[in-house]
Structure formats: C-alpha cells, structure tokens
Amino acid sequence: LHRLIGTLRSRRALIDRFKIRAEWHDAWRLRQIASDDDLASGPEERLTAELARFLFDQGLSPLTKPMAGGLQPDLLDASIRPAFYVEAKQYDRPARQTLVRSLGQVLDTVGLLQGSAYGVDEAFCVVFRRGGPRYLLPDSVEADGYRVYFTLIDIAPAEVSGRRQRF
C-alpha cells in the first residue's frame, strides 16, 4: 500500500480528490473553520490541518510543521520514499505576491531536503481561495530534479465568485 501511495499518479490523485471534496462537499465547513478566530492558530494552519486529516484517512502519516533543516514544511510524510511534501496557502483578498513567494518557499524547503533521507521527487503547493480573485496557477513547474504541482481549491462563497468576483 505504501509503495502504491508513493507513486506520482496516486499522490496527485489524493490531492485532486481532496480538492473535489473540499469544493463540492466541505466548502462551507472549511470557510467556517478558517474564519473562526476562537480556534487555535490562523486560517492557513486550520485549513492545512484539514488536508492533513484527509491524507491520514487515506493511509499516509503527514506531520504538520516538522522542523527540517531549520525550515518547517506545512506537511511532510517522511515515512514513505520519496517523502511526500505539501506547502499550503490561503487567501481571501488579492494575493498575487503571496502566491509567487510560495513557490520560493517550496524551492527553499525542498532544496534543503534534497540529498537527505527526506528527499522529494515532487512537491505540492495547495492554495485555498476563500475570497479575492481566482488565480490561474500553472499545472506544474520543473525545479532542480523535482517537480512542483499546484492546486487551487476554491472554497469561496458564491457571493464573491463568477460575475460578482472583484479584481
């Protein structure tokens, strides 16, 4: 099972399945969790925890914010080889520069993991849209011996989507 989950196709399939679940079935609940200031941590950490729970339910063992080379990936499952790495971001207003910087963050963190026991063949950058413009992200970016895959998870309410979207 671990070998099957470790393949690129199944890793992307897990992220895609979470995207569909989040957008079709859990958007309202995820928006509530992200905006509830009575809960610990910030919106990004709470949404990342939901993704970690989903991945755990699918047979993975993701760690949230483990210390790795002085940096903290959002999610890392080092129990499988190559390691499974996810960087998560969220936004509720225009955030183009934040998304551009997220690629730099992935490159820095994965760069430190390469050559270690936690080497990565592909990394995933999952972006939760709670509001603001819907950005068109590249499918993937080739980096130093690995690939970074991007996924936009649109959980924004209908009031800020479609023709009512503000740029």
Side-chain angles (χ1 to χ4, degrees):
L1 179 62
H2 278 292
R3 198 171 42 231
L4 237 180
I5 288 175
T7 66
L8 171 63
R9 182 174 310 221
S10 64
R11 290 178 184 202
R12 287 198 68 190
L14 285 174
I15 299 294
D16 290 344
R17 186 157 175 80
F18 178 76
K19 171 186 170 59
I20 292 169
R21 176 183 165 177
E23 292 177 348
W24 290 12
H25 304 290
D26 289 341
W28 181 86
R29 186 179 66 78
L30 292 174
R31 284 194 306 271
Q32 293 300 110
I33 290 169
S35 62
D36 188 348
D37 292 331
D38 291 334
L39 296 174
S41 67
E44 190 169 291
E45 290 80 10
R46 294 190 292 262
L47 291 169
T48 303
E50 291 294 315
L51 174 57
R53 182 181 353 246
F54 174 83
L55 293 173
F56 181 83
D57 289 346
Q58 304 306 309
L60 294 171
S61 299
L63 297 176
T64 306
K65 298 271 187 204
M67 187 61 74
L71 298 175
Q72 290 183 301
D74 287 339
L75 292 176
L76 182 68
D77 186 347
S79 69
I80 55 177
R81 299 289 185 264
F84 188 26
Y85 172 88
V86 178
E87 188 65 40
K89 297 295 175 199
Q90 67 83 38
Y91 67 95
D92 61 358
R93 61 183 53 95
R96 186 169 186 232
Q97 287 303 319
T98 299
L99 298 179
V100 170
R101 282 193 304 269
S102 70
L103 176 59
Q105 187 176 356
V106 170
L107 296 176
D108 286 346
T109 306
V110 173
L112 285 173
L113 296 173
Q114 297 306 80
S116 75
Y118 310 117
V120 173
D121 284 349
E122 66 266 345
F124 296 86
C125 185
V126 175
V127 179
F128 294 90
R129 175 186 176 247
R130 299 184 321 143
R134 182 181 174 101
Y135 293 106
L136 180 61
L137 301 175
D139 180 54
S140 65
V141 172
E142 188 75 27
D144 190 24
Y146 61 94
R147 189 177 295 262
V148 181
Y149 293 94
F150 296 89
T151 301
L152 179 71
I153 300 177
D154 191 353
I155 59 171
E159 301 86 58
V160 296
S161 297
R163 64 186 169 103
R164 294 169 283 215
Q165 190 177 140
R166 293 185 182 195
F167 292 94

